[in-house]
Amino acid sequence: MPNVVLQNELRSANIRARVPEEIKRRWQDAAFMRGQTLTDFLIVAANKETAETFLENEHIELSQRDKVQLAEMLSRPPRVNEAMWKAMQKRLENMTET
C-alpha cells in the first residue's frame, strides 16, 4: 500500500512514543515491505485498530432473557409524569443554549 493513502491528508497533530529499538526496527521493516514510510504505516495500522475497536463496541449481545425483558419494557413505556416532563423541558432548553 503506497503512501497515496495519506498524501492528501492535512497533518497538523504530532504524537510521540518511546518504544524498544527492536520494535521500531520491526515496524520499519514492515513499512518498507508495504512501500510506506514508518509514519504512514503506523497511521494506517492505528486507524485499522481504531475501526475494529469501534465495531466491537457498537455491537451489543443480549441473552434471550434480556431480549424478552427489553421487548416488554418497550411495549409498556412508563407514563410521563410531572417530574419527567420538567426534566425533558429542562434538557431541551439546555440543548438549545449550546
Side-chain angles (χ1 to χ4, degrees):
M1 184 179 300
N3 294 341
V4 175
V5 174
L6 300 170
Q7 76 184 39
N8 294 327
E9 297 290 327
L10 176 64
R11 296 180 188 196
S12 59
N14 188 14
I15 297 174
R16 296 180 57 106
R18 293 194 128 355
V19 297
E21 191 64 40
E22 178 57 29
I23 290 175
K24 181 182 177 190
R25 273 195 295 274
R26 287 175 49 89
W27 289 347
Q28 287 172 321
D29 291 345
F32 178 78
M33 289 179 211
R34 294 245 173 119
Q36 294 176 302
T37 64
L38 177 58
T39 298
D40 287 350
F41 178 80
L42 293 175
I43 291 170
V44 169
N47 279 334
K48 180 180 176 187
E49 192 67 25
T50 299
E52 289 176 11
T53 300
F54 278 110
L55 281 175
E56 290 169 2
N57 287 285
E58 286 179 357
H59 183 75
I60 299 173
E61 198 67 40
L62 297 177
S63 69
Q64 187 61 33
R65 188 191 78 201
D66 292 338
K67 290 176 188 177
V68 170
Q69 187 176 10
L70 178 61
E72 288 174 358
M73 290 171 59
L74 291 173
S75 66
R76 290 177 303 181
R79 285 202 168 115
V80 178
N81 61 26
E82 184 73 23
M84 190 181 290
W85 183 251
K86 287 180 181 178
M88 288 188 311
Q89 286 178 321
K90 185 172 184 162
R91 176 72 175 133
L92 286 173
E93 289 170 7
N94 288 339
M95 288 173 57
T96 57
E97 289 176 2
T98 53

